[in-house]
Structure formats: structure tokens, C-alpha cells
Amino acid sequence: MHFSFFKKLTAVVLFSTTVFCGSYSAITPFAHAETAKSDDVSWPKGPKVGSKSAVLMDVDSGTILYAKKPNDKHYPASITKVMTALVALEHSSLDDIVTYSQEAVAQSYGGTSSISRDVGEKMTMEESLYGMMLESANECAWAIAEHVGGTEKNFIKMMNEKAKSLGCTHTHFDNPNGLPDEEHWTSALDMAKIARAAYENPFFAKITGTKTYVIPPTNKHKDKTFLNNHHCMLNYYHTSRYLYDYCVGGKTGYTVAARSTLVTYAKKDGKTLVCVVMCAKSPDHWNDTRKLMDWGFDNFKSVKVSSLENLSQQTSKLGSTTYGADSSLITVDDSSSVMIPKNASDSDISMSIEKSSASKDNVIGLLVFKYDNKKIGTSQLLANTSEESDYPFHNIDQKKGGSSVSYVQINVFLIIIIALAALAAAIGLFLLLRHLVWSVSKHQRDINSEKKGHITYKKIRNNDRH
């Protein structure tokens, strides 16, 4: 046996193992699980609307159900106050005392939306937020901005930073109340992202869904101030013509330049939708919103990530690239949901992995769900840090009230690969040791042969002399 033969044999074994592993990877990629899609299932076609731009979004998953010119820039008018409220709630307390400055009070001049506050008037942050959101009081928005940001200019900076963090790419705020300003614009899609983030704050959801509110007497007003929500799909203050049974809140907006703008939230059958319409002629903003809400509720269903049948099969493969072969070190935040057409099934959903922008240390990625090449929801991939990661049978589904199990997930291909790799290593080690033993033995034989030859030669020489 020659050493060159040993090298060839080892190369063949390793090459075969590599080819098999490559075939396995091609058959079962961890990061993308495509499933056969029903031929008769596609994304529902939305209705025609008169508004220049419109977006309908599922609040829970962030799925965009409908979009008409979603990235076109428009003046937002008073729906700006959704962002003002969001930033204020994140950077202040409801019992903070807000003092109204001369500049804040000046925002109510000229017949704009106002609750007629006076210079030096003091109200709580909670009362100011209700005044801004229900009556769209411009002086309340300005006073809130000064209180939270120190200056109105600094608060505007905070608004734009928040918009950027939410993924807004067609937005630039230049004031906190939405009064006419050429440098103040956004898009229907960006506004939907802002509105969704705002609704995740429980107190914002409470304010925006409040029909009436009473501000108690202040240091400048001896009488109570009564507020009415101006959103006609929620409250009949202006008219009952546009009331919508499923409306749970929203914000109106109007200027001559912006035309009518509207943010609306509605809930039905466990689904919460937000609709944004911009640059609409009245009453298109009401009619378009109702039309889109009805279409969304009628054509889509919400599916919990935890109920997806192939979720455990796909996530069990994640560990092979992120944490070696131990997928128990990764869990999926299955509390989220996805939104799909009503006639679609779970098998029509595909999954892929993307980098997460979350700042939490235990978030290592984002599981992205798609349907018909449309993003329908996400779920965070989390690194286990508790004792749970030491439990080897994390994928056992135990029956309620007992210890019996329904299945244990076993990856047969992975076991075969490990076995082949171990076999290849054993063969290589055996051949290497065999070659070393043979080489040492041959060397010893050569030395012995040489010694014997030398002794024989000396005997012959000695015989020749006699």
C-alpha cells in the first residue's frame, strides 16, 4: 500500500460525504420553506376609491391589505396629531402639568380648531391630549410639544426621529399640529405605520375611541370645558350619516391645501384594521373608509402564528446555522398573527428569515411570513436564556392534563449525515494508523536487512582470507 493510495481513498470518502450533505441542504433549506399554493387562491382585488391615496392595514400583523399610491407625499393636516400624541405619551406622564405659552395660544387665532385656552393656563397632559385628539385643538398640540420637547423645534426633531424608527421613508414633520406648511408632509403608508404604532399604546387607544370628555375648571376657566370627538364614523356630534358600527377611533384632518385626511380604526370578528385616506374630496374620506373597512373584514382572516402546522418543522432547522445543531436554543415568538385571504389555507404561507432591527439582546432574527409574495406578518426569533434551553425535547407536544406525548420530531437526514461523517472519520483514522504502522515496520525491516547484509559481507571477506 502506498501513501498516494491512502490520500485518494480519503478524498473519495470525504467528497462523497460532502456531496450527500449538499444534497440534503438543497432538499431542506432552513431559511425558506415554500409550500404548494392552491391554484385558485390569490390576493383579493380591492375596491375603487376617490381619495388620492389610501392604505388599509391590519393593526396586529402590519399586513397591508390595500394600497393606492401609498408613497405619494401629501399634506396631512390634523392627522399629524396622531404622531404628536404618540411622542408625548412616550416621553411624559399623564399627570404632568402643561402650561400654555403665548406662542401656543396663538395657534388658535384665525378660526382654526381650538378650545380657547388662555396664556398661562394650566392643564394636565391627559386633559391636553383629549383636547388635541377630540376637538383637534391646535393650541393643545403646541403646548404639548413645548412641554415634552422643551421647545417646539426640539419636539419636531423627536417626531421625525420617531417616524424614521418606524420605517417611514416619505415623511417630514415641521410642526406638531398640521397647520399649513410646505415642509410638512407624509404619505398614506407612513401614516398607517404611525397610526398602528400609536394604537399599540393603550392610553392612545382609549383617547381616540372616546366620544366625549369634560375638562374640569382650570386656573383660567371657572367652567368645565366639554369636548366632542369630531370623527363622524364614531360620534354623531356633526352628523349620524356616516356612523360605522365597528369604528373604535380615529383622527380627522382638513386644510384647503391638504383637503380631507382621515385615520380610522375599526374592530370586527377579532380583527383590528386601520385605514388612512389622504387628499380626498368630502365626503369621499368617509365613504372610501367604510368601503375599504367592509372589504377588509369580508375578504381576510387573521391566523395565529402558533397555529401554523409547519412552524415547528421549519424552526427546528434554524439551529443548524445559528447555534450548531441544537435548535432548542431558539424559540419563536408565536403570540403574533398573520393576515391572509379568507379562502387561503396555512399551506399557502411561506416563511423566510431576515435580520431584525430590534434592540433587544435576545432577538436574533425575524421570521417573515409571506403570501402571494406579499408580506403578511413577522415573528421574532429569540435566543433562549432560561433553563428551557437545556431541555432536549422542546418539541414534544404534551396532552393537556397528562404526560403522554403526541410526537417527537426526529431529523432522519441529519442523523444519516452525522453517521456518514463519523464513518468517514473512522475510516480515515484507521487508514492513517495502518499506514503509520506499516511505515514504521518497513523502516525497521530495512534497518535489520541492512545489518544482516553487512554481517554476511564481513563473513565472506573473512573466509576469503583463509
Side-chain angles (χ1 to χ4, degrees):
M1 182 182 292
H2 299 288
F3 186 63
S4 59
F5 173 76
F6 162 75
K7 290 197 295 184
K8 291 179 180 178
L9 180 60
T10 303
V12 170
V13 173
L14 294 176
F15 177 76
S16 300
T17 304
T18 301
V19 170
F20 186 88
C21 293
S23 300
Y24 169 73
S25 299
I27 293 171
T28 58
F30 86 95
H32 192 69
E34 291 289 353
T35 51
K37 185 147 56 117
S38 307
D39 294 335
D40 58 343
V41 176
S42 59
W43 199 262
K45 186 177 181 180
K48 292 183 178 180
V49 298
S51 303
K52 292 288 185 180
S53 292
V55 165
L56 181 68
M57 178 184 286
D58 174 45
V59 171
D60 293 329
S61 65
T63 307
I64 301 169
L65 308 181
Y66 175 92
K68 175 184 177 181
K69 297 183 178 179
N71 292 316
D72 282 9
K73 295 178 182 178
H74 295 288
Y75 298 129
S78 283
I79 60 174
T80 298
K81 291 160 185 167
V82 173
M83 175 60 97
T84 302
L86 174 58
V87 174
L89 286 168
E90 290 183 344
H91 296 277
S92 68
S93 297
L94 294 175
D95 57 359
D96 283 0
I97 300 300
V98 178
T99 302
Y100 285 68
S101 67
Q102 174 64 54
E103 193 167 14
V105 171
Q107 302 300 307
S108 64
Y109 299 163
T112 66
S113 298
S114 166
I115 57 171
S116 302
R117 298 298 90 175
D118 294 330
V119 176
E121 188 153 4
K122 297 180 183 296
M123 297 199 314
T124 65
M125 175 61 70
E126 180 177 352
E127 294 162 355
S128 298
L129 286 169
Y130 273 106
M132 178 181 72
M133 293 298 295
L134 271 61
E135 291 283 352
S136 202
N138 291 312
E139 75 270 34
C140 289
W142 198 278
I144 289 170
E146 288 183 329
H147 176 82
V148 175
T151 64
E152 177 261 351
K153 184 177 181 180
N154 190 55
F155 185 83
I156 292 170
K157 182 181 178 181
M158 295 168 68
M159 293 172 70
N160 286 312
E161 288 174 349
K162 183 63 179 178
K164 185 178 180 180
S165 73
L166 294 174
C168 298
T169 56
H170 297 79
T171 294
H172 182 267
F173 292 115
D174 206 41
N175 64 61
N177 48 31
L179 286 174
D181 187 329
E182 291 184 357
E183 298 301 317
H184 188 86
W185 34 263
T186 186
S187 68
L189 178 56
D190 283 0
M191 200 63 228
K193 293 176 181 178
I194 295 168
R196 181 197 177 204
Y199 203 76
E200 290 175 350
N201 185 297
F203 196 78
F204 176 89
K206 179 183 177 181
I207 293 176
T208 194
T210 299
K211 296 178 181 180
T212 62
Y213 185 83
V214 178
I215 298 176
T218 69
N219 63 318
K220 295 290 184 177
H221 283 80
K222 294 182 180 180
D223 297 327
K224 298 177 180 178
T225 303
F226 294 89
L227 309 178
N228 281 281
N229 197 317
H230 290 205
H231 199 300
C232 292
M233 297 179 76
L234 177 72
N235 192 20
Y236 54 81
Y237 174 63
H238 287 301
T239 177
S240 61
R241 179 184 299 181
Y242 305 109
L243 287 176
Y244 188 60
D245 290 341
Y246 310 112
C247 181
V248 292
K251 183 70 191 77
T252 59
Y254 176 82
T255 65
V256 174
R259 293 189 176 183
S260 291
T261 62
L262 189 66
V263 171
T264 307
Y265 302 97
K267 288 185 178 181
K268 181 183 179 183
D269 299 332
K271 298 185 289 286
T272 304
L273 306 182
V274 59
C275 182
V276 177
V277 295
M278 302 190 75
C279 197
K281 292 182 179 179
S282 184
D284 281 351
H285 55 312
W286 307 118
N287 296 331
D288 288 349
T289 297
R290 172 184 282 271
K291 191 184 301 183
L292 287 171
M293 287 293 192
D294 285 342
W295 173 81
F297 288 130
D298 290 343
N299 287 276
F300 295 90
K301 63 182 179 181
S302 180
V303 179
K304 284 289 185 183
V305 167
S306 57
S307 69
L308 297 179
E309 294 180 1
N310 61 341
L311 180 65
S312 61
Q313 294 177 345
Q314 299 309 317
T315 55
S316 66
K317 303 168 188 174
L318 300 175
S320 61
T321 58
T322 310
Y323 285 104
D326 188 1
S327 60
S328 67
L329 293 174
I330 298 175
T331 57
V332 178
D333 180 11
D334 57 7
S335 62
S336 55
S337 62
V338 296
M339 186 72 82
I340 58 176
K342 277 191 174 179
N343 61 339
S345 66
D346 292 1
S347 61
D348 298 312
I349 300 173
S350 65
M351 305 177 199
S352 62
I353 295 177
E354 293 181 1
K355 183 178 179 181
S356 175
S357 59
S359 58
K360 297 179 181 178
D361 293 337
N362 66 327
V363 178
I364 58 176
L366 202 63
L367 192 58
V368 179
F369 301 94
K370 289 186 178 181
Y371 169 86
D372 195 26
N373 290 324
K374 294 180 182 291
K375 186 175 178 180
I376 58 172
T378 61
S379 188
Q380 291 181 335
L381 297 175
L382 308 174
N384 279 336
T385 56
S386 63
E387 294 87 353
E388 184 180 4
S389 61
D390 297 326
Y391 185 56
F393 302 109
H394 65 286
N395 59 344
I396 293 180
D397 183 17
Q398 293 191 344
K399 293 181 179 179
K400 294 181 179 179
S403 60
S404 60
V405 299
S406 58
Y407 72 92
V408 177
Q409 191 176 46
I410 299 175
N411 195 322
V412 178
F413 285 103
L414 186 59
I415 292 175
I416 293 174
I417 289 175
I418 294 173
L420 284 176
L423 178 61
I427 291 174
L429 182 60
F430 171 76
L431 293 176
L432 177 61
L433 291 174
R434 181 177 176 181
H435 176 74
L436 290 174
V437 171
W438 179 81
S439 297
V440 171
S441 177
K442 182 177 180 300
H443 181 66
Q444 189 62 43
R445 287 197 303 271
D446 289 343
I447 293 174
N448 292 338
S449 296
E450 184 179 349
K451 288 181 178 179
K452 288 180 182 180
H454 182 65
I455 293 171
T456 303
Y457 174 75
K458 288 177 69 176
K459 285 181 180 180
I460 294 173
R461 291 283 293 175
N462 290 335
N463 289 337
D464 287 343
R465 291 176 183 175
H466 293 287

